[in-house]
Structure formats: C-alpha cells, structure tokens
C-alpha cells in the first residue's frame, strides 16, 4: 500500500540537503520498532512541489507532497496514526492531508517507472575494503538493481520471478547524478526512469518498496 501526504506551506527555507530531516521525521512517526534494523520493505519519496528560493534551499508556497509505501500495511497504519497525533515535520511543514494511492494495474509487458527520489546502488568490495557506487552508465547496474529486489522479495515471502529484470531507461535525455548528504555521509544516486520486466506482482512490489539500496533513507521511490 502507498499513501500520499500533503503538507502546509513552509515557514522557513527548506535546505537543499533536507533529506536527513525527512528521514528523521519518518522514523519519529514509526517510533521504536524492529524495522529500523532490517532490510527496508518500504520506501518514501523526496518532497515534491518545491521552488528554489535562493542559494540556501526550497520554498513550498502550496505545501509539499510526498509518497510513502509499505509492503506490510500494519506499519503504514502505525505511521498514519502517528501523523494524526503529531503532524509537525520541519521548517514549518505540517501534514494537512493523507490519501491512499490507488495501486496501478500492471501487465506482463515491460513497463516504465518514473522516480520520486533517485536510485542509489552500492556494493562493498572485499579486495578494496570500500564501497563502490554504480550509475546509469554502468553495465552492472541492471543486474544489481534486479538482485536487490529479488532479495527483498525472498524476505517478503514472494515467489521467485525468473523473468524479473530492472534497467535504466537509456533513451531518457535528462539523466542526472544527485549528490545527497545524510548524517554527514555523501552519496551519489541516479535520477533516471527505469524499465521493469517481470510479473505484475513483482512490479507492484517494486512500486511499493522502491528499487536499489537504502529505500528506507529516501532513495529509490517509484511513481
């Protein structure tokens, strides 16, 4: 299930690197529970509808909109209850409305997905003892995105989908690499639509929980 959250206008400038504040807000609403230490079967988007106010950040004169999706509906119900009792976010943003998003009807054909937050892909390499980041122009990216979603599907108890394949839409003309700083850690992520091949169930799962690494930290949200 996925919800759309609409907020009030901000009262102070929302900094460009607001993602850490958004992650903190989501975790505040979820409270203390076991999902913080597990692989994320959920995703949430960046704030939509903003305008650059100056060199410091964004303003949301009509309020912000963002999406949150959970594979386990129980956590989404917990989130909604917490929001209703504590709607304050940051920079004067306050939740004004929550709506349930209708689930798309997917087919067996390859389907295009737009992003509401960039896709983050990384792997730890034993030889170098460092993480390597992957981008839309790396041939390994498709395999790694597919591998991550397959792993999440196994954790969720879903059947294996041998037809599953995720790839960046290489025909998209406005591909970007986004630098994101969360808890002082700078990460590079991909802003480029993706194409998913596979079963309707796999596509719905991806639409809900996101694609790539760190979907629980505002990466990989799909629309």
């Amino acid at each position: 299930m996925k919800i759309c959250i609409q907020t009030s206008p901000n009262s102070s400038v929302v900094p460009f690197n607001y993602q850490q504040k958004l992650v903190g807000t989501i975790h505040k609403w979820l409270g203390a529970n076991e999902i913080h230490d597990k692989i994320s079967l959920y995703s949430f988007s960046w704030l939509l509808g903003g305008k650059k106010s100056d060199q410091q950040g964004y303003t949301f004169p009509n309020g912000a909109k963002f999406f949150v999706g959970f594979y386990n509906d129980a956590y989404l119900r917990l989130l909604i209850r917490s929001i209703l009792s504590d709607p304050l976010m940051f920079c004067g943003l306050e939740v004004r409305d929550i709506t349930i998003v209708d689930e798309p009807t997917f087919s067996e054909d390859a389907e295009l997905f737009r992003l509401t937050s960039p896709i983050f892909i990384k792997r730890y390499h034993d030889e170098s003892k460092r993480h390597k980041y992957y981008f839309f122009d790396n041939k390994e990216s498709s395999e790694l995105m597919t591998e991550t979603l397959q792993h999440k599907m196994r954790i969720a108890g879903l059947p294996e989908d041998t037809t599953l394949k995720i790839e960046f839409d290489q025909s998209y003309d406005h591909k970007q690499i986004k630098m994101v700083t969360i808890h002082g850690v700078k990460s590079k992520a991909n802003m480029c639509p993706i194409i998913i091949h596979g079963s309707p169930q796999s596509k719905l799962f991806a639409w809900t929980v996101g694609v790539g690494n760190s979907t629980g930290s505002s990466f990989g949200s799909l629309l």
Side-chain angles (χ1 to χ4, degrees):
M1 183 186 293
K2 185 175 286 192
I3 60 173
C4 177
I5 297 173
Q6 181 71 46
T7 79
S8 65
N10 55 304
S11 59
S12 62
V13 173
V14 176
F16 289 129
N17 284 326
Y18 67 83
Q19 288 80 14
Q20 180 176 327
K21 295 180 182 295
L22 184 58
V23 172
T25 299
I26 295 290
H27 286 198
K28 175 193 74 170
W29 286 332
L30 288 173
N33 58 68
E34 71 278 5
I35 68 170
H36 297 306
D37 299 320
K38 294 182 178 180
I39 191 165
S40 301
L41 299 185
Y42 63 99
S43 64
F44 54 96
S45 74
W46 286 7
L47 300 178
L48 308 176
K51 300 178 180 179
K52 287 187 179 180
S53 64
D54 50 29
Q55 296 303 309
Q56 302 302 314
Y58 302 102
T59 185
F60 293 86
N62 298 312
K65 179 174 72 173
F66 65 104
F67 298 92
V68 182
F70 271 87
Y71 177 66
N72 187 336
D73 293 349
Y75 289 116
L76 204 54
R77 290 193 291 270
L78 168 64
L79 188 79
I80 292 171
R81 288 197 301 269
S82 297
I83 292 172
L84 293 176
S85 64
D86 181 13
L88 292 176
M89 294 177 59
F90 50 88
C91 300
L93 297 173
E94 182 175 351
V95 176
R96 291 280 178 83
D97 188 53
I98 304 171
T99 56
I100 296 174
V101 180
D102 291 335
E103 293 183 348
T105 300
F106 296 110
S107 70
E108 298 283 351
D109 298 327
E111 301 199 47
L112 180 71
F113 291 77
R114 291 178 292 150
L115 308 186
T116 51
S117 65
I119 294 174
F120 180 50
I121 310 170
K122 72 174 181 180
R123 288 295 186 275
Y124 183 77
H125 289 262
D126 291 330
E127 291 183 4
S128 64
K129 305 298 182 183
R130 299 178 65 182
H131 282 100
K132 180 177 179 180
Y133 302 100
Y134 295 86
F135 307 106
F136 46 73
D137 54 356
N138 295 130
K139 60 179 175 35
E140 303 97 330
S141 293
S142 175
E143 179 182 348
L144 295 176
M145 287 189 291
T146 304
E147 176 187 272
T148 298
L149 191 67
Q150 287 172 330
H151 179 56
K152 290 189 175 186
M153 289 175 68
R154 286 193 292 271
I155 291 174
L158 295 178
E160 182 179 359
D161 181 3
T162 58
T163 65
L164 180 64
K165 180 182 179 182
I166 306 172
E167 57 187 342
F168 286 111
D169 178 12
Q170 298 297 338
S171 68
Y172 184 64
D173 292 331
H174 303 290
K175 306 179 190 72
Q176 295 183 59
I177 301 296
K178 293 281 190 179
M179 178 70 79
V180 187
T181 303
I182 298 178
H183 298 304
V185 178
K186 295 182 181 297
S187 302
K188 292 181 179 179
N190 303 270
M191 188 56 84
C192 175
I194 58 171
I195 298 168
I196 301 182
H197 310 255
S199 70
Q201 185 181 41
S202 297
K203 292 169 186 167
L204 179 60
F205 183 73
W207 177 83
T208 303
V209 307
V211 165
N213 298 100
S214 302
T215 60
S217 293
S218 80
F219 291 103
S221 175
L222 306 181
L223 184 63

